[in-house]
Amino acid sequence: MSAMDVGRLCVKLRGREAGGRCVVVDVIDRNYVLVTGPPELTGVRRRRVNMSHLRPLDEKLDIGHN
């Protein structure tokens, strides 16, 4: 398992959502993941994100794909 697996909590490093927390809901390929977060709290909407724009946290949620 990699650091970017489903359920991993992350912080966005780039873009207008920088600093917002999100969770990985699906791994698209070796460069991109699908993330989501509570938009009203963190501003992070469900979208495809380059993994280099994320910093994984030590916390992980127990969720399934999508």
Side-chain angles (χ1 to χ4, degrees):
M1 292 242 157
S2 68
M4 290 295 182
D5 46 357
V6 174
R8 178 69 55 194
L9 289 172
C10 301
V11 175
K12 292 217 39 196
L13 300 175
R14 303 236 169 115
R16 73 182 97 183
E17 299 166 338
R21 287 185 169 213
C22 57
V23 63
V24 175
V25 292
D26 198 8
V27 177
I28 298 171
D29 59 24
R30 65 185 195 137
N31 293 321
Y32 291 95
V33 293
L34 184 66
V35 298
T36 192
E40 60 278 352
L41 297 177
T42 64
V44 180
R45 298 176 187 262
R46 183 174 285 235
R47 66 180 64 223
R48 182 182 76 151
V49 177
N50 191 320
M51 283 193 232
S52 65
H53 296 177
L54 296 173
R55 180 174 49 111
L57 301 176
D58 292 335
E59 304 166 37
K60 185 174 180 215
L61 300 176
D62 187 28
I63 62 171
H65 288 277
N66 294 323

